[in-house]
Amino acid sequence: IEMTSVRLDIDLSSNLTVDAGGSFSIDGVGSSNVTTHGLLVLSGSDGLQINADNFAGIQMNTREGGMQLNANGGVFDVNAASAVSIDGVGASNITTNGALTVSGSTGLNLASDSGEIDITTRQGNIDINATAGDLDIDATENVTIDAGNILQIQSTAASAYRSQVEQTLQSVAASVTIDAATQIALTRAEQVTI
C-alpha cells in the first residue's frame, strides 16, 4: 500500500495490530510520540538501541514512579565522553559482590556537608597508602587514634613530634618504655620533668 496523502489519521475503538514478516520502519521528520494509557513495552530479541543524533541527548523521565535498570544476564556499562553526574536527595548506596574501585586520574574527593565520613570494614583491614607522596591529616579539633591492640608508628627516616602546648605521654595501666638503638636526646626551652 502506497499513500501520498499529506496526513494519515487512524482512529480505532479497539486494538491496532501490525504484523510484518520482515523488518518495519516508521520515520518522521518532526517531533513524534508514542503514548499509551498503560504499560508500553519495547522489546528486541537481539537487543534494543536508542540513539540521539544531536546534542539534545536522551532523556528518560518518570513523573511519579521510580526508574529501574536491570542487566540480568551481563554487565551494566555506562560510558561518557564528558563528565558523569549522579544526584540523589536521600540516603543512597552502591553495593557490589566483589571489589569496588573508585578511581580519579587527577584526584579523588570524599566530601560530607554536615555528617561524618565513616570508613568501615566488617571483617578485613583498612589500608591507606600514599605511594608517591605524603599522608597529611588536618583537623580543626581533636585527632583521636584508638587501637584495641598494639599501636605502631614507624618511619625509615628521622621524625619529629612537635606541639605548641604542653603534652603528656601516659600509660594508665602499665609502664611507658622509650627505646633507642643509639641515643635518646631530650632538649628543652625551659625545663624537662621526669
Side-chain angles (χ1 to χ4, degrees), residues 155-172:
S155 175
T156 58
S159 302
Y161 173 73
R162 298 185 178 90
S163 176
Q164 300 282 340
V165 296
E166 178 182 338
Q167 296 296 299
T168 301
L169 179 61
Q170 181 182 14
S171 176
V172 296

Side-chain angles (χ1 to χ4, degrees), residues 111-120:
S112 175
D113 289 334
S114 59
E116 69 175 5
I117 296 177
D118 189 5
I119 301 176
T120 303

